[in-house]
Amino acid sequence: MKPLEVERPWIKRKLGLKMLGSVIVVFIITFAILALFGFYDGGTINVQSINVSFSDQKIKTYSYAYGKETFSTGKKIVMNIQFNDNGINSTVDITGVKSMTSGFSATLDKPSVQILKSGETIPVVVTMPAQNYAGNLSLEFIISS
């Protein structure tokens, strides 16, 4: 008795290899498109709170929770830092800012900022570090005498 053979026409036409090749091409095109649009930018930065200090010791240091969004490594962004005057009733002239956290750099958005009351914001351009980071950002503002 002769064994029963099941016909498999896709083997004769090599459809399995063609299908595998098509799947590989689709994956390559998908990853190329994702890379083109920047989905593989690198690491992430999560600033959870901001510590604010001043060169004038009369103004007390303070911190507040930030955690608003996740940033990409190496990017420059403008952060609006909340000002809490801690009882100072006069105008505060801020002429500079420096980052006390390793890897970050900070500059004022304008050459100088004049703050009149608590609750105002100080625009600061912050450059994110090149490696992943999750934690606090410490900024020291330079007050003109």
Side-chain angles (χ1 to χ4, degrees), residues 71-135:
F71 306 104
S72 296
T73 55
K75 298 278 180 166
K76 280 188 177 183
I77 59 137
V78 176
M79 295 176 106
N80 290 313
I81 308 301
Q82 295 175 2
F83 178 69
N84 179 0
D85 67 1
N86 293 314
I88 301 297
N89 294 325
S90 60
T91 302
V92 177
D93 292 319
I94 299 172
T95 57
V97 63
K98 63 181 176 177
S99 171
M100 306 303 281
T101 306
S102 178
F104 287 87
S105 66
T107 57
L108 288 177
D109 192 29
K110 301 174 185 172
S112 66
V113 177
Q114 191 174 59
I115 302 296
L116 302 172
K117 62 182 182 204
S118 180
E120 291 188 33
T121 59
I122 307 164
V124 176
V125 177
V126 178
T127 303
M128 302 298 160
Q131 69 278 0
N132 290 339
Y133 179 80

Side-chain angles (χ1 to χ4, degrees), residues 49-80:
S49 70
I50 297 178
N51 302 323
V52 181
S53 62
F54 297 90
S55 61
D56 185 352
Q57 298 302 322
K58 295 175 189 170
I59 303 175
K60 297 178 185 174
T61 62
Y62 59 91
S63 344
Y64 65 93
Y66 189 76
K68 296 179 180 178
E69 57 190 295
T70 300
F71 306 104
S72 296
T73 55
K75 298 278 180 166
K76 280 188 177 183
I77 59 137
V78 176
M79 295 176 106
N80 290 313

